[in-house]
Amino acid sequence: MLKLAKNFIGAILFVAAVATGVYLVMDSITSPQMKPISTVLETITGQYGSPVVRSSTLLLKYNEYSCGDVELLYRGGAPRELIGLDYNRLRIKYPENQGWKITFRDSELDITRKVEGFCGMHKEYRHLGLYEGKLAVFQGPLGYNDIVLSVVNIDFNLLPGDIKDKISRADRYNELPAAEQVELQNTIEFPSETEINSALENFDELERN
């Protein structure tokens, strides 16, 4: 009987010790309701399953723009609010349907946000093309014809044949071979408003001649 009582007391002490350990682990984690149980089990057992974010995890955060450029926003240790999150919890925090993409491998976590619009450099780019059959100025580099800035008061049909050909091909830019794309970039794509205005002045003179 005494032996049975000792075993019972020992079992109670063991359960209490485990419960205390779990409490201390959970208490040391920020926002424990957001942390996977695997984190606690890993701490207690030393066995690792699905990877979780740790203080040693390298975090890289990016913006990916419509023009294809990727901007690095942050590179460093993971912030406290991400510590303990696994891939599934990260997807909840950064949902794919809101433009987020997560890559989690080994000790590196990449979080990318898709941004509608151009990066700082390509926002200033301009290119020529046709809009409803008329010469127009588009925002951004060639291949992006969503934003028409202005319709130019120059008769497209009076421009030299080689220029008309290049402008006509602008709407098929993404389908053209690389050599033709470079040819168009050198002719009807401009890195600033000032440069495209200079080109249009030259076209205007050609039209008058």
Side-chain angles (χ1 to χ4, degrees):
M1 186 68 179
L2 182 60
K3 183 176 180 181
L4 181 61
K6 287 182 179 180
N7 290 339
F8 180 73
I9 293 172
I12 292 176
L13 291 175
F14 176 77
V15 171
V18 171
T20 301
V22 170
Y23 172 81
L24 291 174
V25 170
M26 294 298 291
D27 187 59
S28 67
I29 299 175
T30 304
S31 302
Q33 68 275 15
M34 289 296 294
K35 313 304 179 182
I37 295 176
S38 60
T39 304
V40 179
L41 296 177
E42 288 172 9
T43 305
I44 295 173
T45 65
Q47 297 179 351
Y48 299 92
S50 176
V52 297
V53 181
R54 307 178 183 282
S55 58
S56 59
T57 300
L58 175 63
L59 172 64
L60 297 144
K61 295 191 77 172
Y62 301 94
N63 274 346
E64 183 178 345
Y65 295 92
S66 300
C67 55
D69 280 1
V70 177
E71 176 187 19
L72 177 64
L73 301 175
Y74 174 83
R75 185 181 190 279
R80 190 176 180 187
E81 65 267 19
L82 297 186
I83 303 297
L85 298 186
D86 62 7
Y87 179 73
N88 289 329
R89 292 289 184 177
L90 288 167
R91 289 183 65 189
I92 293 173
K93 187 174 180 64
Y94 300 102
E96 186 175 355
N97 60 10
Q98 293 182 17
W100 296 96
K101 182 174 67 175
I102 296 171
T103 304
F104 194 2
R105 55 184 180 278
D106 299 328
S107 58
E108 180 178 310
L109 171 63
D110 294 354
I111 299 177
T112 302
R113 181 172 68 110
K114 293 185 178 179
V115 179
E116 292 296 327
F118 299 114
C119 66
M121 179 180 71
H122 285 133
K123 188 181 295 184
E124 303 301 319
Y125 268 53
R126 305 287 185 265
H127 71 272
L128 294 172
L130 291 177
Y131 177 72
E132 297 182 350
K134 296 180 180 179
L135 182 64
V137 175
F138 294 83
Q139 183 180 31
L142 282 160
Y144 301 91
N145 299 324
D146 295 330
I147 303 175
V148 180
L149 295 178
S150 64
V151 175
V152 183
N153 188 27
I154 295 176
D155 189 340
F156 175 72
N157 293 317
L158 295 180
L159 294 177
D162 62 327
I163 295 177
K164 287 196 298 183
D165 176 64
K166 291 181 174 64
I167 293 173
S168 297
R169 283 187 284 153
D171 65 340
R172 297 184 292 107
Y173 176 82
N174 292 323
E175 304 168 11
L176 299 175
E180 290 188 45
Q181 289 183 344
V182 172
E183 180 188 13
L184 296 190
Q185 289 171 8
N186 292 333
T187 310
I188 60 172
E189 181 182 272
F190 307 88
S192 70
E193 186 84 27
T194 301
E195 294 191 39
I196 196 170
N197 286 338
S198 297
L200 289 174
E201 289 177 5
N202 292 333
F203 289 171
D204 192 32
E205 291 178 5
L206 288 172
E207 181 189 26
R208 287 198 295 267
N209 293 333

